[in-house]
């Protein structure tokens, strides 16, 4: 079966940079996920962060984030619509850990700052893409009787 159109639409510069941004965020999500897996299996912190040695809140948070961050990385890498949603769940969970419950999880201002910056940049990209799409629609007019 042949495709309906032999030409694929060319991405704009904004769309290309947005996909590149999503892939950089995907790599950082994969890194976060690997860090949580290393913690849970005892590879990091000289084995003191193994699953069986963690407190109950850390067990719940670390296992959840060890799964959600790699899934978010996959979704962001393929630029799927579900990728940013998964990232929002993972980053939101991590931000809650370090801001709402610092007495349990400690403080990590770098992670909170970076997740906030990524969120702001993401919203700015989505706004720019929306305005670009709106501008393209204004140029295309159909005169029907």
């Amino acid at each position: 079966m042949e495709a309906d159109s032999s030409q694929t639409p060319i991405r704009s510069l904004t769309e290309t940079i947005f996909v590149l941004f999503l892939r950089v965020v995907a790599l950082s999500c994969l890194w976060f996920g690997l860090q949580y897996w290393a913690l849970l299996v005892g590879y990091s912190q000289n084995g003191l962060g193994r699953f069986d040695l963690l407190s109950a809140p850390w067990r719940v948070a670390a296992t959840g984030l060890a799964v959600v961050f790699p899934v978010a990385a996959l979704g962001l890498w393929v630029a799927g619509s579900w990728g940013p949603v998964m990232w929002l769940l993972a980053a939101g969970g991590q931000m809650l850990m370090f801001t709402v419950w610092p007495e349990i999880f400690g403080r990590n201002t770098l992670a909170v700052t970076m997740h906030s910056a990524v969120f702001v940049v993401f919203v700015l990209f989505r706004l720019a893409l929306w305005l670009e799409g709106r501008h393209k629609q204004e140029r295309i007019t159909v005169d029907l009787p």
Side-chain angles (χ1 to χ4, degrees):
M1 179 175 242
E2 291 185 36
D4 292 338
S5 175
S6 61
Q7 297 178 350
T8 57
I10 298 173
R11 285 187 173 163
S12 69
L13 180 62
T14 308
E15 291 170 330
T16 304
I17 295 172
F18 180 60
V19 170
L20 182 65
F21 166 73
L22 289 178
R23 291 195 172 171
V24 169
V25 175
L27 290 174
S28 69
C29 285
L30 184 61
W31 178 252
F32 275 125
L34 289 173
Q35 282 183 328
Y36 279 109
W37 278 108
L39 173 76
L40 291 173
V41 298
Y43 186 73
S44 64
Q45 297 181 357
N46 294 326
L48 296 176
R50 283 189 343 238
F51 182 80
D52 59 336
L53 300 176
L54 292 174
S55 64
W58 264 105
R59 285 182 187 179
V60 171
T63 53
L65 293 175
V67 173
V68 176
F69 268 123
V71 172
L74 177 64
L76 291 168
W77 188 267
V78 299
S81 60
W82 52 275
V85 175
M86 295 305 293
W87 173 83
L88 190 61
L89 289 173
Q94 198 174 37
M95 289 176 68
L96 283 174
M97 284 171 51
F98 297 133
T99 57
V100 176
W101 302 292
E103 63 279 351
I104 298 172
F105 300 105
R107 292 198 185 276
N108 190 343
T109 55
L110 180 62
V112 172
T113 304
M114 295 307 289
H115 288 316
S116 301
V118 167
F119 180 76
V120 168
V121 171
F122 179 80
V123 168
L124 291 175
F125 264 120
R126 294 305 300 172
L127 179 64
L129 290 170
W130 179 73
L131 290 173
E132 186 177 274
R134 193 169 163 196
H135 181 68
K136 284 180 185 176
Q137 282 182 339
E138 288 175 359
R139 287 190 284 163
I140 301 171
T141 59
V142 178
D143 295 323
L144 294 176

